[in-house]
C-alpha cells in the first residue's frame, strides 16, 4: 500500500499550532469546556495498489465461503477413522517441495 507522506511534518506542526491557539483562546475567553480542533482536509491521499485490491477481493470471496464437496469430505473422514486411508509419501513430499518453491 502506498501512502503519500509529503509535507507530513509541516502539517503536524500546523495542527499543533492551531490546537495551541484554540486552547489559548478558550482560556482567554473563559471557556473551560474543551472543544475539539476542527480538522481541515489538506490534500492527503492514499493510493491503493492493485495487489491490495486483489487481496481485498480474495478476502471477500473467502468470506462468502467456498464450495465444499461434502461427500468427499465424509469419505475421507471415514477412511481415516477406520484406518484404510493410505498416504503416498513420495507424492506428499513432491507436493510439499513444490509448495515450498512457490513461497520463495
Amino acid at each position: 500500500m502506498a501512502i503519500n507522506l509529503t509535507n507530513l511534518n509541516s502539517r503536524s506542526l500546523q495542527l499543533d499550532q492551531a490546537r495551541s491557539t484554540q486552547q489559548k483562546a478558550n482560556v482567554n475567553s473563559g471557556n473551560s469546556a474543551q472543544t475539539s480542533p476542527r480538522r481541515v482536509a489538506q490534500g492527503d491521499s492514499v493510493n491503493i495498489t492493485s495487489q491490495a485490491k486483489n487481496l481485498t477481493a480474495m478476502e471477500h470471496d473467502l468470506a462468502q465461503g467456498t464450495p465444499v464437496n461434502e461427500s468427499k469430505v465424509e469419505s475421507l473422514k471415514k477412511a481415516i477413522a477406520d484406518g484404510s486411508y493410505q498416504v503416498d509419501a513420495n507424492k506428499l513430499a513432491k507436493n510439499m517441495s513444490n509448495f515450498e518453491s512457490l513461497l520463495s
Side-chain angles (χ1 to χ4, degrees):
M1 175 180 351
I3 298 175
N4 183 359
L5 298 176
T6 307
N7 298 325
L8 182 61
N9 289 334
S10 64
R11 289 184 185 147
S12 294
L13 181 60
Q14 289 171 348
L15 285 173
D16 289 342
Q17 289 172 344
R19 285 185 192 114
S20 177
T21 302
Q22 183 67 36
Q23 288 172 348
K24 287 177 185 175
N26 287 341
V27 169
N28 290 339
S29 68
N31 184 359
S32 61
Q34 284 208 350
T35 59
S36 60
R38 294 182 184 180
R39 293 189 180 249
V40 178
Q42 297 182 7
D44 291 341
S45 65
V46 175
N47 299 320
I48 308 297
T49 64
S50 61
Q51 187 177 18
K53 290 176 184 177
N54 289 340
L55 181 59
T56 301
M58 284 191 291
E59 287 175 341
H60 180 266
D61 291 344
L62 286 173
Q64 299 298 318
T66 57
V68 176
N69 186 343
E70 294 292 334
S71 63
K72 185 171 183 176
V73 170
E74 287 304 315
S75 67
L76 286 171
K77 283 182 179 181
K78 183 180 176 190
I80 291 169
D82 67 21
S84 63
Y85 183 75
Q86 298 294 317
V87 176
D88 182 351
N90 290 329
K91 183 178 176 183
L92 177 62
K94 182 179 177 184
N95 286 336
M96 288 175 66
S97 176
N98 289 341
F99 180 72
E100 184 69 27
S101 67
L102 290 174
L103 295 176
S104 34

